[in-house]
Amino acid sequence: MQLKISVFTVILVHLFDSNCAWPERLCYSNTLNPQSGNAWFPTSIKALQFDRHRIKLTVLYETLCKDCSQFFQQVIYPKIWALGRDFIDLELIPYGNAIRSNDDGTQVITCQHGSFECTMNKLHSCLLYELKGATVAMPTIMCLFQNERLTSNITELFNFCAEKEGFSKKARDKVFNCFTGYRGITLEEWMALRTESMRPEKHLFVPWIAINDLSYHWYQQYQQILLETLCNMQTNRIKPNSCQTIVLEDN
């Protein structure tokens, strides 16, 4: 059975303009005023298409954010990670709305949901670093999301998830040493810089997505139909396996 997604559902509008190219130039509706506070939307589906085999998806998030946890459990894990790995490169940035400040020459990071969230963000960062990215780290990250409210002992939580996911002693030690050592602090700072470097538009909330290193407010409307949207950005003649049953209607 094929899942059909209307252009109005995925792209909102279906006016094709041969003069519109991505990403050098976008076609925007003249009826929307960028100063009005409304998001800008492209008037051409071509403005959302990438002529490349793989698409990079970046997700900004916080580890104790309920909306982020829901987004991971409903979209990122079961759809993007489980189904879209054949054409999506997933980058996870656990930092979100944290704030950096300077306290007498020492950098201090204050997280939106308190110090425990900063600690959890650091653990996620170490998992992503030591396991070489989201492809391998995702099941453990999901375990942390699903069980983080059961205990305030982060070592106990990590050991539980490491055991559940079958970590070797070497892998467990590498993540734990990162988490308790200087590398974890360095990774926190890197995640802060990565979040602050979002262009051309800064994030306003989390979860927040960027596609091929481009961050736009209007991208966020596609979060709940993210796999379908990324499939329809593909211009390759042969669609990825996960996109074979997704059809874009142009009416």
Side-chain angles (χ1 to χ4, degrees):
M1 180 179 180
Q2 289 188 323
L3 174 63
K4 295 187 176 182
I5 306 297
S6 167
V7 171
F8 284 96
T9 303
V10 179
I11 308 299
L12 293 185
V13 288
H14 69 294
L15 302 177
F16 287 81
D17 179 357
S18 61
N19 294 321
C20 184
W22 179 271
E24 291 80 8
R25 189 167 73 252
L26 287 174
C27 298
Y28 290 109
S29 169
N30 293 328
T31 62
L32 293 176
N33 182 350
Q35 305 301 324
S36 68
N38 295 324
W40 281 20
F41 299 104
T43 58
S44 170
I45 187 175
K46 292 182 180 180
L48 288 176
Q49 291 181 331
F50 300 93
D51 189 14
R52 54 186 286 177
H53 178 61
R54 299 189 67 81
I55 291 177
K56 180 182 178 182
L57 173 68
T58 301
V59 181
L60 308 185
Y61 71 102
E62 296 168 349
T63 53
L64 296 188
C65 163
K66 291 183 179 179
D67 289 339
C68 297
S69 178
Q70 185 178 57
F71 185 50
F72 270 74
Q73 294 186 59
Q74 295 181 357
V75 178
I76 297 300
Y77 182 67
K79 295 183 179 180
I80 301 302
W81 182 83
L83 301 178
R85 279 178 287 172
D86 56 345
F87 78 104
I88 299 171
D89 292 325
L90 181 60
E91 178 189 27
L92 302 181
I93 309 295
Y95 183 79
N97 298 321
I99 298 173
R100 291 195 297 164
S101 59
N102 191 293
D103 183 9
D104 196 23
T106 301
Q107 179 174 267
V108 177
I109 295 177
T110 304
C111 293
Q112 185 169 4
H113 300 96
S115 59
F116 186 65
E117 179 171 75
C118 283
T119 306
M120 285 295 296
N121 287 351
K122 182 164 63 172
L123 178 57
H124 280 226
S125 298
C126 285
L127 281 166
L128 291 163
Y129 178 82
E130 296 295 351
L131 300 184
K132 312 303 181 187
T135 299
V136 178
M138 180 60 74
T140 310
I141 285 175
M142 283 306 305
C143 177
L144 293 174
F145 266 126
Q146 292 165 349
N147 296 283
E148 62 192 7
R149 298 187 184 277
L150 299 181
T151 177
S152 59
N153 187 322
I154 197 166
T155 302
E156 181 180 301
L157 177 60
F158 168 65
N159 285 333
F160 170 80
C161 289
E163 181 74 22
K164 180 176 181 291
E165 298 304 326
F167 276 38
S168 66
K169 183 180 185 303
K170 181 179 179 181
R172 188 180 306 202
D173 288 347
K174 286 178 69 175
V175 173
F176 190 76
N177 290 338
C178 169
F179 170 66
T180 57
Y182 180 74
R183 177 166 290 167
I185 297 172
T186 302
L187 288 172
E188 276 191 296
E189 295 174 353
W190 189 90
M191 294 299 182
L193 291 171
R194 185 74 182 94
T195 300
E196 293 163 2
S197 71
M198 286 291 110
R199 296 290 187 275
E201 296 176 339
K202 299 287 190 180
H203 86 284
L204 299 178
F205 49 82
V206 288
W208 185 272
I209 61 171
I211 302 173
N212 282 358
D213 290 320
L214 293 173
S215 170
Y216 287 104
H217 299 164
W218 53 268
Y219 275 174
Q220 311 317 311
Q221 67 185 313
Y222 304 125
Q223 287 190 11
Q224 296 306 311
I225 51 170
L226 191 51
L227 180 60
E228 295 88 342
T229 302
L230 296 179
C231 282
N232 287 315
M233 289 180 179
Q234 278 282 337
T235 58
N236 295 317
R237 290 183 178 180
I238 301 177
K239 290 286 187 181
N241 291 335
S242 53
C243 299
Q244 294 296 327
T245 58
I246 297 175
V247 176
L248 180 65
E249 293 182 341
D250 58 358
N251 54 21

